[in-house]
Amino acid sequence: MAPDMDLQRIRTRLIDNIRSHKPDSAKALCFLASLDPDGFWPDIDYVSPDPIHYPGRDHWTRLHAIALALETPSLSESAPDALPRMLRSIDYWLKHRFTSPNWWFNEISIPLAVLDLALLLDHHLEADRLKRLAVVFDQSAIGKTGQNFNWLATVALKRGVLECDPGRVEIAAAALHSVIVMGEGEGIQTDGSFHQHGACLYNVGYGSQFLEDTTLNALLLHGTRFAYAPWHITMLANLLLDGSALMMRGRAVDPGSAGRGISRANIAVNYDVVARRLLTIGTDRDEDLRVFLLCQAGEEPVRPRNKMFPRSDFMVHHRPGFYASARGYSALTINTDWPCNGEGLRSHSMGEGACFIMRSGAEYHPILPLWDWQHVPGTTVRQDNDYHPDRLRRQGESWFLGGASDGLHGAMGFRLIRAGLMAHKSWFFLDDRIICLGAGISDSAPEPVHTTLEQCRRNGVVLIGNEPREDVESDVVPCGRVWHNGMAWYVHEGSPLLIRHGMRRGRWSDINRGQSADEIAAPMLSLWFDHGSCPQDERYAYTVFPEC
């Protein structure tokens, strides 16, 4: 039978992509030195009950590092027995068939890792061992929704390539094509937002991984009979340019667009790579992609833009000097994700009118463990310190939420209803200012209700009126004017405005059980209205000048 040239082309591209990561011979030798003769690493807990960071995954990460360095001179000279020891290590896993308590590792993460390793070893894997590896791949089957569907179809694609099975590749490619669709379910929305786990905004995390994985698969299949259609590629470019890329300032992502992923210290997106892949394939938006890359490199100023995402109850506003957003949730959307795997433990208030304003991009994410999570910027929240996981994720109770945008300026408003607390909140995004209004703030609970103007890393002096203010735990702002880091807040009407600024301490593990328990500290600034206990028809009005 003649060789299938399309399969050979995809296989070569896959292996080239895996090998694009630079081998680290020193690390590979270190892993080999600690590898037991029977094929396991003594420091790995293969039967760990940890669902967040399953240690058994490290078995394959280490084998991958060794395989990358297998043909380097230092490894071939210092460890000539590296290959047979690797094969023995593969056999050790197959003998014991370890599994994680988290389905994602068993069905997605580990099969993908094993497939990449098998493709790296290529001709070193004899038919019998390759056949026995199928037990790992059989744990995965195409299904589920959104990015999880995409991952599972990618497992099927790589397996088909590894096993030289064009039928499996054809089925996997059709599945990968099918997920690039706009509809009422999870995945790409008609406005350029991305949903996962229901109507939950997730352009960062699941959505960014969707873009990275799908554009890589599109590049692998490009020019073959399994290729994505041109309109698939256009949809991916639109998702990037008219959706995900609008939810960030420079390299910093909007905290409200990442679901529970915002509680990860290393959250990042690789949209530059996504844009370059799309340019390699070719789209009808190539010029926009080039401008995006220039903006990311700082060689072009950010273009003024405003956009409402009605499918996600979210508005973004861009100017050369700043980024701003407003987010609510209605009866059609969900405020945030579940605290799956111990992540996002305090994200209860992310949909209560969050309004993030970024100039440098360092205002929020590096210091999220230091936040008071009932003072998320922009939100109106009852101060009950209730972080029970069962009361974290919720669908909105109000049908009133909407926005209007002419592409440069915008307005958004919604009626907040949560467990008896009610408020009308609105934002008006103009060229040099954001006007923020609140009315009808009412609650029958005894705990005070606060509306937060800002909670960010303090950068330099804080002025009250024209006077610098020293560190303070909590104090009233008598004049209603605050200046900090090139931004100014002017209060026109409202309850007493309070300020707190000074050094704060916290741990990433406070908001994500899988993160570091090491203490971090940074100077912080918080501004909020105190509407008091059992407020009735309280209101506020203030203007933010992000550049002054």
Side-chain angles (χ1 to χ4, degrees):
M1 182 182 295
D4 189 317
M5 299 307 295
D6 283 343
L7 276 188
Q8 287 192 0
R9 183 182 300 179
I10 297 167
R11 187 185 189 94
T12 300
R13 290 171 175 172
L14 257 175
I15 294 172
D16 287 348
N17 179 70
I18 299 167
R19 288 198 176 280
S20 65
H21 302 281
K22 186 178 179 181
D24 187 333
S25 300
K27 182 182 287 186
L29 286 169
C30 182
F31 288 150
L32 281 167
S34 59
L35 181 62
D36 187 271
D38 285 339
F40 67 92
W41 275 277
D43 64 317
I44 292 180
D45 182 0
Y46 290 88
V47 293
S48 169
D50 184 355
I52 306 171
H53 297 292
Y54 173 55
R57 173 67 167 74
D58 293 341
H59 182 92
W60 299 103
T61 302
R62 296 178 185 186
L63 287 176
H64 186 100
I66 297 169
L68 274 177
L70 197 59
E71 297 176 7
T72 60
S74 56
L75 201 73
S76 57
E77 293 172 8
S78 303
D81 61 343
L83 179 59
R85 293 181 66 190
M86 287 181 65
L87 298 177
R88 196 177 307 128
S89 187
I90 292 172
D91 292 341
Y92 179 84
W93 182 284
L94 294 176
K95 177 182 177 182
H96 294 277
R97 297 192 181 184
F98 299 109
T99 58
S100 165
N102 185 337
W103 73 270
W104 187 84
F105 285 100
N106 301 326
E107 298 182 31
I108 293 174
S109 180
I110 289 173
L112 285 174
V114 177
L115 283 161
D116 283 355
L117 177 66
L119 286 162
L120 267 178
L121 293 176
D122 202 16
H123 56 279
H124 295 301
L125 286 178
E126 66 278 13
D128 176 66
R129 187 172 280 107
L130 189 60
K131 185 177 180 180
R132 286 187 288 119
L133 279 174
V135 71
V136 178
F137 312 145
D138 286 343
Q139 297 172 168
S140 178
I142 298 174
K144 303 191 186 296
T145 57
Q147 173 57 13
N148 287 325
F149 182 97
N150 204 44
W151 272 318
L152 291 165
T154 300
V155 172
L157 173 69
K158 290 187 175 183
R159 181 180 183 178
V161 172
L162 176 69
E163 298 175 349
C164 300
D165 184 344
R168 191 183 295 274
V169 172
E170 185 173 0
I171 291 170
L176 289 168
H177 298 166
S178 73
V179 80
I180 305 181
V181 62
M182 291 185 291
E184 297 295 315
E186 295 182 6
I188 304 172
Q189 303 300 299
T190 53
D191 58 8
S193 59
F194 189 94
H195 288 178
Q196 190 78 35
H197 295 167
C200 182
L201 177 61
Y202 242 127
N203 280 68
V204 175
Y206 284 103
S208 54
Q209 197 64 54
F210 177 88
L211 271 173
E212 291 174 35
D213 291 353
T214 305
T215 53
L216 174 58
N217 288 334
L219 200 57
L220 294 173
L221 301 180
H222 182 55
T224 74
R225 66 182 184 277
F226 309 107
Y228 290 72
W231 63 267
H232 288 138
I233 305 306
T234 297
M235 282 185 64
L236 293 174
N238 292 343
L239 175 61
L240 172 65
L241 296 168
D242 300 330
S244 299
L246 297 181
M247 301 179 191
M248 57 195 298
R249 172 71 176 173
R251 306 286 174 182
V253 300
D254 188 299
S257 66
R260 72 178 192 270
I262 201 60
S263 65
R264 299 170 187 167
N266 61 346
I267 190 167
V269 294
N270 295 312
Y271 293 150
D272 292 27
V273 172
V274 169
R276 291 191 182 97
R277 287 171 180 164
L278 290 169
L279 283 169
T280 299
I281 297 169
T283 77
D284 56 3
R285 300 200 63 182
D286 283 2
E287 183 57 32
D288 293 332
L289 290 167
R290 293 187 187 97
V291 171
F292 166 74
L293 288 171
L294 290 172
C295 290
Q296 288 296 95
E299 297 175 16
E300 283 277 343
V302 174
R303 295 182 176 182
R305 190 167 180 182
N306 178 281
K307 182 171 181 178
M308 178 69 192
F309 293 89
R311 293 285 299 162
S312 297
D313 296 339
F314 184 55
M315 177 171 279
V316 298
H317 190 65
H318 288 262
R319 289 298 182 268
F322 69 94
Y323 164 94
S325 68
R327 180 166 178 249
Y329 66 115
S330 67
L332 296 175
T333 56
I334 294 167
N335 63 337
T336 190
D337 200 2
W338 295 289
C340 302
N341 305 324
E343 298 185 301
L345 297 174
R346 298 187 181 180
S347 302
H348 298 59
S349 303
M350 291 299 287
E352 262 75 347
C355 178
F356 297 109
I357 304 172
M358 295 189 285
R359 287 162 51 91
S360 69
E363 289 83 357
Y364 302 117
H365 187 261
I367 47 78
L368 291 183
L370 312 182
W371 257 8
D372 173 350
W373 284 79
Q374 292 199 324
H375 280 135
V376 174
T379 60
T380 298
V381 176
R382 181 189 299 150
Q383 301 298 299
D384 55 11
N385 290 312
D386 182 5
Y387 293 113
H388 194 284
D390 290 347
R391 290 184 285 278
L392 194 160
R393 173 184 163 100
R394 58 190 295 127
Q395 193 161 8
E397 299 178 42
S398 170
W399 288 92
F400 181 77
L401 191 151
S405 173
D406 65 0
L408 291 175
H409 313 92
M412 175 177 148
F414 85 114
R415 187 185 186 201
L416 169 65
I417 304 175
R418 180 162 185 162
L421 170 63
M422 293 184 287
H424 294 275
K425 298 172 68 69
S426 59
W427 300 264
F428 300 84
F429 295 93
L430 306 176
D431 284 320
D432 64 345
R433 69 195 67 188
I434 304 158
I435 300 170
C436 308
L437 305 178
I441 301 169
S442 302
D443 193 14
S444 59
E447 295 86 1
V449 173
H450 293 175
T451 294
T452 301
L453 287 69
E454 182 62 286
Q455 184 181 202
C456 66
R457 177 195 289 269
R458 192 187 70 197
N459 183 20
V461 68
V462 177
L463 298 179
I464 305 297
N466 294 318
E467 299 295 325
R469 175 60 62 96
E470 300 298 325
D471 288 4
V472 60
E473 180 58 30
S474 180
D475 198 6
V476 175
V477 178
C479 64
R481 300 194 309 276
V482 179
W483 183 96
H484 166 252
N485 192 31
M487 293 176 57
W489 293 262
Y490 282 73
V491 175
H492 311 296
E493 179 183 4
S495 306
L497 178 65
L498 281 82
I499 184 170
R500 177 170 66 225
H501 71 92
M503 193 63 65
R504 239 181 278 175
R505 291 172 171 78
R507 298 172 175 83
W508 279 100
S509 58
D510 294 337
I511 59 175
N512 186 327
R513 292 196 186 103
Q515 298 289 297
S516 171
D518 294 341
E519 187 176 77
I520 64 172
M524 298 285 291
L525 167 69
S526 298
L527 292 170
W528 71 94
F529 291 118
D530 184 355
H531 304 298
S533 300
C534 302
Q536 295 299 313
D537 289 323
E538 289 291 315
R539 61 180 62 198
Y540 64 80
Y542 66 94
T543 299
V544 186
F545 293 89
E547 296 181 278
C548 64

